[in-house]
Amino acid sequence: MASNKGGDDGGCSGDGQAVDFSALPEGCIAGVLSLTTPKDTCILSLVAKVYKSAAESDAVWERFLPSGYETMIPESLLHRSKKEIYLSLCDNPVLMEHGEKSFSLEKQSGKKCYMLSPRSLTIIWGSSPEYWRWGSFPGARFAEVAELLSVCWLEIRGKIKTRLLSPNTKYAIYLVYQIRPEYHGFDSSPPLQAGVGVAGSEIPERGVYLETEHQYGEGCYPRYQIDFEKQMEVELGEYYHGGDGDDDDELEIYALETSGGRWKGGVVVHGIHIRPQKDLDNCVSGRHFFTDT
């Protein structure tokens, strides 16, 4: 017969016999929940009171928060529960690096999300007022957006250190934008060529379109993103990050149209969004519009 060797285990060790999970000490249940995901923890909290109590504990939600979160949040949140801090980071992106990036958490998984501001991007001719206009915009996440007036050479590039991303996570990368009434030239130009990959390596490309008034053919088409006010997004590419946070690679992202020779304009660039991929985030072929829920 197996014996219980005891030890300071919070009541988690046993003699090999089946144990009623709900009979375990709350601290042990909290330890188990902290090894799951925020989504699983919330589901289990509905099963029984003992689960609910453990699922609210700081010990659980501390595990779901990123290291160094104390420096990312407003001082007013420091004395709130860890679950409240977690939810705040999910619902209220935090500006970082002098407002050039925003940081948030994906609510179901706790994975890291980033958005690159227009000012952090390299935009060819972006400093020329006859081609691009900079300023504030209703509903924008950042202080400034970049409004394309008219160019024949469109090139937008961004980058982010891969060590900032969550390990063992597949990311989808999006251009976030709005179409203005002055929108022109894109329907008679080739699709934008978009690429996402580690700088210095071969980067896969795909064709992307900014609107769906016409069905052009194979490629990525935009979707509405309801957590941005009247904004749209189109997937530029995917990236699987398997690192442990110690790597020094740089993820390169770009969208360009430089071969058609047509003048194009009427697009407001809000930034580039980098977030864990969900089933609905996959690139689609042909005409496809849908609303996130």
Side-chain angles (χ1 to χ4, degrees):
M1 176 178 176
S3 62
N4 186 345
K5 296 183 180 180
D8 185 14
D9 57 11
C12 292
S13 63
D15 59 4
Q17 298 179 4
V19 176
D20 180 1
F21 189 61
S22 62
L24 295 174
E26 183 177 310
C28 183
I29 296 175
V32 173
L33 293 178
S34 70
L35 299 176
T36 63
T37 67
K39 178 182 178 180
D40 292 336
T41 295
C42 291
I43 291 174
L44 286 170
S45 71
L46 303 175
V47 175
K49 288 184 178 179
V50 65
Y51 297 161
K52 180 174 178 57
S53 179
E56 296 293 325
S57 71
D58 280 352
V60 172
W61 292 93
E62 181 86 33
R63 290 287 298 269
F64 299 146
L65 288 167
S67 60
Y69 71 88
E70 298 92 342
T71 63
M72 302 177 183
I73 60 176
E75 188 175 346
S76 59
L77 282 175
L78 287 175
H79 302 295
R80 307 295 291 270
S81 73
K82 297 300 189 289
K83 182 178 181 180
E84 289 174 304
I85 294 173
Y86 176 88
L87 292 176
S88 178
L89 284 173
C90 294
D91 297 332
N92 304 292
V94 177
L95 295 182
M96 56 189 296
E97 298 182 13
H98 307 289
E100 292 203 341
K101 288 186 181 73
S102 74
F103 169 81
S104 61
L105 298 176
E106 199 278 317
K107 186 173 288 185
Q108 294 189 10
S109 66
K111 303 284 189 178
K112 298 175 183 177
C113 308
Y114 293 91
M115 189 166 175
L116 309 181
S117 73
R119 279 296 184 189
S120 73
L121 306 176
T122 298
I123 300 177
I124 300 301
W125 308 113
S127 60
S128 301
E130 64 267 35
Y131 301 132
W132 290 86
R133 177 166 55 207
W134 292 82
S136 59
F137 203 86
R141 179 173 297 188
F142 299 102
E144 286 186 297
V145 298
E147 182 177 357
L148 172 59
L149 301 179
S150 194
V151 295
C152 61
W153 183 289
L154 176 63
E155 184 173 349
I156 301 171
R157 295 181 181 271
K159 58 185 179 180
I160 188 172
K161 291 291 187 180
T162 58
R163 65 170 178 265
L164 296 175
L165 306 176
S166 296
N168 304 315
T169 302
K170 187 175 184 180
Y171 278 88
I173 294 86
Y174 296 87
L175 178 69
V176 182
Y177 62 97
Q178 282 179 259
I179 288 178
R180 301 287 284 158
E182 301 83 8
Y183 182 81
H184 66 275
F186 288 93
D187 57 347
S188 56
S189 297
L192 273 66
Q193 292 302 304
V196 174
V198 174
S201 65
E202 184 176 351
I203 297 178
E205 286 192 346
R206 62 172 56 164
V208 301
Y209 302 94
L210 298 185
E211 44 84 31
T212 58
E213 289 301 315
H214 306 283
Q215 185 170 333
Y216 299 98
E218 294 300 310
C220 287
Y221 285 75
R223 54 179 286 179
Y224 290 115
Q225 173 81 350
I226 62 172
D227 58 334
F228 300 115
E229 186 175 328
K230 295 182 179 179
Q231 294 177 23
M232 300 168 70
E233 60 178 15
V234 66
E235 186 180 307
L236 302 180
E238 303 167 348
Y239 171 70
Y240 179 78
H241 180 53
D244 57 7
D246 295 328
D247 57 273
D248 198 40
D249 289 334
E250 198 164 56
L251 189 66
E252 183 177 342
I253 306 157
Y254 61 83
L256 52 89
E257 199 290 286
T258 59
S259 62
R262 301 274 185 169
W263 288 86
K264 304 168 284 293
V267 174
V268 177
V269 176
H270 285 261
I272 291 177
H273 201 198
I274 304 163
R275 66 174 186 260
Q277 189 182 61
K278 298 180 183 178
D279 290 341
L280 290 180
D281 284 342
N282 293 327
C283 173
V284 293
S285 299
R287 183 170 182 171
H288 191 64
F289 255 81
F290 59 93
T291 301
D292 231 354
T293 55

